[in-house]
């Protein structure tokens, strides 16, 4: 396997002088091509800030960021956004309420001057399991799961290599969460995508991820493989506390069938 994303010594500081605070404190990560890398940790630990720093949405200090071996420049070049796209927790944050689905699918193609936008639009709609008829809808005319499918479809318009997934299912009902996670798995298989996924749900992480980094107060406190996570081999005390607080873990094997996953594996209610 080769490294798709390598982050060396990333820090993000919010505020100035005596109010300055490290939201991300000297984090290094390496994500292999085609894998799903999970970021876990309590609310406010800096997970979303890592994704935003990676996309250049917040200023950061960093020794280097490499994508497929190439140094990522600051400010990010247009080509970066063709390769890296983000999906947010709540599609209402990323979809425009007064534009049709179609207008929103066409927008990235227009910005990046892609030929063949209409065929791409129809192809991504189908790839996320929606029909042509959905393209004339507005976000409020869709269910939560359908909206998240549209957000994913829009992210796919540019045929990226990497999706940054910030709690992509935590705003959805449990049964719908399962559909969206399965869709993400299918898309990854079909397109060889690399995922960096934030979740506070260890059941989701165990199902989706091969590698996991645990964040606490802006620091990466432990990095481990999914096997170590699900077989009680976590070393760090904080990781062990997260695991103990999660009903998905303990003596039981990891959750693999989302249809039967209890709604209450969310960690934030236990540990935040
Ligand atoms: P998480 O995603 O793990 O819940 P975040 O990355 O959103 O955490 O936030 C990490 C810390 O940085 C929190 O204390 C949050 O309040 C702070 N923070 C996030 N964004 C900003 C911002 N734009 N300005 C100031 N502080 C911020
Ligand atoms: Mg967050």
């Amino acid at each position: 396997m080769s490294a798709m994303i390598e982050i060396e010594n990333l820090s993000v500081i919010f505020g100035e002088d005596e109010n300055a605070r490290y939201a991300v404190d000297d984090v290094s990560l390496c994500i292999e091509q085609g894998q799903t890398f999970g970021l876990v940790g309590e609310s406010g630990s800096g997970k979303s800030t890592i994704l935003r720093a990676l996309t250049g949405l917040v200023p950061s200090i960093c020794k280097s960021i490499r994508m497929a071996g190439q140094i990522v420049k600051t400010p990010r070049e247009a080509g970066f956004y063709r390769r890296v796209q983000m999906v947010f927790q709540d599609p209402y944050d990323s979809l425009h309420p007064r534009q049709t689905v179609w207008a929103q699918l066409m927008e990235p193609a227009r910005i990046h001057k892609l030929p063949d936008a209409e065929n791409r639009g129809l192809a991504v709609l189908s790839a996320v399991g929606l029909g042509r008829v959905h393209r004339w809808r507005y976000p409020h005319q869709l269910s939560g799961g359908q909206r998240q499918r549209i957000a994913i479809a829009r992210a796919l318009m540019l045929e990226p290599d990497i999706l940054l997934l910030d709690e992509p299912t935590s705003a959805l009902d449990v049964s719908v969460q399962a559909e969206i996670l399965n869709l993400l798995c299918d898309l990854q298989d079909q397109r060889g995508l690399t995922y960096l996924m934030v979740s506070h749900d260890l059941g989701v992480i165990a199902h989706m991820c091969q590698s996991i980094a645990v964040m606490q107060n802006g620091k990466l406190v432990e990095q481990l493989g999914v096997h170590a996570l699900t077989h009680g081999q976590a070393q760090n005390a904080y990781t062990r506390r997260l695991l103990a607080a999660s009903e998905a873990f303990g003596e039981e094997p990891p959750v693999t069938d989302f249809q039967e996953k209890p709604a209450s594996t969310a960690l934030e209610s236990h540990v935040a």
Side-chain angles (χ1 to χ4, degrees):
M1 275 208 276
S2 58
M4 183 53 114
I5 305 173
E6 295 160 277
I7 299 174
E8 269 191 296
N9 307 105
L10 174 74
S11 294
V12 177
I13 301 168
F14 288 122
E16 285 177 10
D17 303 328
E18 65 272 22
N19 295 321
R21 187 178 165 279
Y22 278 87
V24 176
D25 189 353
D26 198 23
V27 167
S28 298
L29 296 175
C30 179
I31 304 171
E32 301 291 335
Q33 198 275 326
Q35 89 169 164
T36 301
F37 188 103
L39 271 182
V40 292
E42 64 200 356
S43 185
S45 57
K47 306 178 299 291
S48 297
T49 304
I50 290 183
L51 302 194
R52 286 159 65 216
L54 193 54
T55 56
L57 288 173
V58 295
S60 60
I61 307 159
C62 194
K63 188 169 167 204
S64 72
I65 299 177
R66 285 170 199 273
M67 194 166 62
Q70 304 278 316
I71 291 276
V72 172
K73 293 190 183 136
T74 301
R76 304 287 180 260
E77 297 168 312
F80 175 85
Y81 298 105
R82 288 187 61 167
R83 301 191 63 188
V84 181
Q85 286 285 306
M86 193 148 164
V87 175
F88 297 90
Q89 173 176 351
D90 185 347
Y92 268 128
D93 289 345
S94 50
L95 297 181
H96 194 293
R98 287 185 299 280
Q99 285 181 359
T100 61
V101 163
W102 193 244
Q104 303 192 56
L105 291 180
M106 291 302 112
E107 192 190 21
R110 184 176 53 74
I111 291 171
H112 291 268
K113 300 188 173 64
L114 294 187
D116 216 19
E118 303 208 342
N119 284 335
R120 276 183 193 236
L122 294 174
V124 295
L125 266 181
S126 154
V128 300
L130 294 176
R132 289 175 168 229
V133 53
H134 291 104
R135 70 194 192 279
W136 307 124
R137 303 253 171 95
Y138 290 88
H140 74 270
Q141 296 171 320
L142 298 166
S143 69
Q146 288 172 332
R147 276 196 293 274
Q148 197 57 302
R149 285 173 194 268
I150 295 298
I152 294 167
R154 196 174 60 168
L156 294 177
M157 273 300 283
L158 301 175
E159 296 180 349
D161 302 315
I162 300 164
L163 289 188
L164 307 177
L165 304 162
D166 196 350
E167 311 234 18
T169 60
S170 44
L172 302 172
D173 293 345
V174 181
S175 62
V176 182
Q177 285 184 19
E179 287 174 17
I180 297 295
L181 292 169
N182 289 335
L183 171 66
L184 288 169
C185 289
D186 291 345
L187 292 169
Q188 184 173 44
D189 288 345
Q190 292 155 11
R191 294 165 184 249
L193 292 162
T194 302
Y195 291 158
L196 173 53
M197 178 166 167
V198 170
S199 180
H200 59 262
D201 185 329
L202 285 176
V204 169
I205 289 290
H207 180 70
M208 298 285 292
C209 301
Q210 292 84 52
S211 297
I212 294 112
V214 182
M215 298 283 301
Q216 186 185 24
N217 296 329
K219 291 196 169 64
L220 197 164
V221 294
E222 182 163 17
Q223 195 173 326
L224 70 176
V226 68
H227 182 87
L229 183 82
T230 55
H231 289 76
Q233 292 160 10
Q235 300 296 317
N236 181 273
Y238 175 69
T239 309
R240 299 181 77 89
R241 249 177 38 231
L242 279 185
L243 285 167
S246 168
E247 291 165 31
F249 283 79
E251 300 310 310
E252 298 296 311
V255 175
T256 50
D257 183 350
F258 282 101
Q259 301 299 340
E260 289 175 19
K261 187 165 68 63
S264 54
T265 50
L267 279 171
E268 277 174 331
S269 55
H270 299 285
V271 298

